[in-house]
Amino acid sequence: MDIFVLEDNPIQRSRLEKIINELIKKNNIPCQRLFSTASPDKLLDELTSMGNYHLYFLDLEINDYTKKGLEIAQLIRAKDPYGTIVFVTTHPELAPKTFEYKVSALDFITKDQDNLMFKKNIEECLKIASEYLNKPISEDSFIFKNQYTKFQLPFSDILYFETAQVAHKINLITPKKTTHFYGRLSELEKSDERLFRCHRSFVVNVSNITHIDKKNKIVYLKGNYHCLVSRRYLKELEEKIREIEKR
């Protein structure tokens, strides 16, 4: 699990970092890293790759703008639909606003409560997030793990995987976003029988194929996405589609 803290007050940020580090050790919570910053842009820049499960502690008021945290939470949701967001704030009255912003926050923790209760609330959020690590997102979730990364998402969201321009990196294409992680296509094609290596640069989710342009050797998927298919894999891919459709 990666933990992110967005807090523009250096005293509050230091307080939160200290408490989180103490509770991680106390509860043996699997945390790969704790990234803490006062800059919304720096936090968002860190979300360029798919890796561990993410937990966010966000201040609502950044640079005297009361709802900035809610707007940042929306941008986080666009990049990380399954992460857990916790607001740490002096404005608990804004809790209902999360429904309008559709960011699905786990908790609102007020800064001005006594330190014991503040720490208890943080601890509860850490424990809940830790439990989410191994909880399936849906009944048909895709779970992938190698020495560099671990993630899960609904299998139906997967359109295809492709090799990235950066060596050893993979792009995962879904209707919501494109994410990046370190891995190999050979690992992915073996991870689920519905995934098929249709080209040396692409592994496609056969369940989401709508049709194949044999002449131009293009596979079309739901949402008008497409990728290439090699001539030598055309017949095998068609057989795979028929096999999936029979189920």
Side-chain angles (χ1 to χ4, degrees):
M1 176 167 66
D2 290 343
I3 300 175
F4 296 87
V5 172
L6 177 63
E7 171 60 70
D8 64 343
N9 184 308
I11 295 175
Q12 290 289 350
R13 189 166 66 253
S14 178
R15 176 195 186 197
L16 195 50
E17 290 170 9
K18 182 180 178 181
I19 289 173
I20 290 172
N21 279 318
E22 287 178 0
L23 294 173
I24 286 172
K25 292 178 182 177
K26 174 187 172 184
N27 296 284
N28 196 28
I29 290 173
C31 177
Q32 305 302 112
R33 65 168 174 157
L34 170 59
F35 180 83
S36 182
T37 181
S39 167
D41 290 336
K42 285 184 179 179
L43 185 147
L44 292 171
D45 285 344
E46 287 296 306
L47 305 184
T48 57
S49 63
M50 175 174 286
N52 295 312
Y53 174 83
H54 295 162
L55 169 62
Y56 306 87
F57 290 96
L58 307 179
D59 186 12
L60 268 186
E61 186 174 349
I62 306 291
N63 298 324
D64 298 321
Y65 178 32
T66 305
K67 296 181 183 178
K68 185 65 175 178
L70 286 167
E71 294 177 0
I72 298 303
Q74 281 188 317
L75 295 174
I76 288 172
R77 274 284 168 258
K79 290 189 170 189
D80 183 11
Y82 309 113
T84 296
I85 293 174
V86 176
F87 290 109
V88 184
T89 177
T90 55
H91 297 279
E93 74 278 1
L94 290 176
K97 285 287 182 182
T98 59
F99 294 102
E100 294 178 25
Y101 282 76
K102 296 179 174 63
V103 295
S104 184
L106 173 64
D107 201 0
F108 265 72
I109 301 176
T110 56
K111 298 177 184 178
D112 53 3
Q113 60 184 317
D114 68 80
N115 203 56
L116 188 63
M117 284 302 300
F118 183 79
K119 184 181 287 189
K120 181 181 179 182
N121 289 332
I122 297 293
E123 185 171 25
E124 288 175 354
C125 290
L126 286 168
K127 287 180 176 179
I128 290 172
S130 181
E131 291 173 0
Y132 287 167
L133 285 172
N134 298 310
K135 183 181 290 185
I137 293 168
S138 68
E139 289 185 3
D140 187 21
S141 61
F142 176 73
I143 301 172
F144 179 76
K145 181 179 181 180
N146 63 15
Q147 65 184 104
Y148 306 108
T149 186
K150 177 183 178 181
F151 65 85
Q152 61 176 318
L153 76 164
F155 192 87
S156 59
D157 283 357
I158 298 171
L159 294 172
Y160 62 89
F161 300 89
E162 65 178 359
T163 52
Q165 292 183 344
V166 178
H168 310 301
K169 253 194 172 182
I170 302 294
N171 296 332
L172 164 58
I173 312 300
T174 75
K176 298 176 182 177
K177 61 175 183 174
T178 298
T179 51
H180 322 280
F181 61 95
Y182 284 97
R184 299 191 303 271
L185 289 181
S186 57
E187 296 176 308
L188 290 158
E189 65 177 317
K190 298 173 184 176
S191 61
D192 192 288
E193 59 183 3
R194 292 165 292 181
L195 295 176
F196 182 80
R197 184 77 171 266
C198 61
H199 186 277
R200 70 186 190 88
S201 298
F202 297 96
V203 169
V204 66
N205 179 1
V206 178
S207 303
N208 279 330
I209 293 176
T210 56
H211 66 283
I212 302 173
D213 181 344
K214 295 182 183 179
K215 181 179 179 181
N216 296 301
K217 294 182 282 299
I218 298 174
V219 174
Y220 286 91
L221 302 109
K222 293 177 181 177
N224 205 31
Y225 289 83
H226 62 274
C227 66
L228 299 176
V229 56
S230 297
R231 181 188 300 275
R232 61 180 177 145
Y233 293 132
L234 271 171
K235 185 176 180 180
E236 190 177 349
L237 178 56
E238 288 179 311
E239 291 175 355
K240 193 72 175 179
I241 292 173
R242 286 193 290 270
E243 179 185 323
I244 296 295
E245 289 176 344
K246 288 178 181 178
R247 296 178 184 177

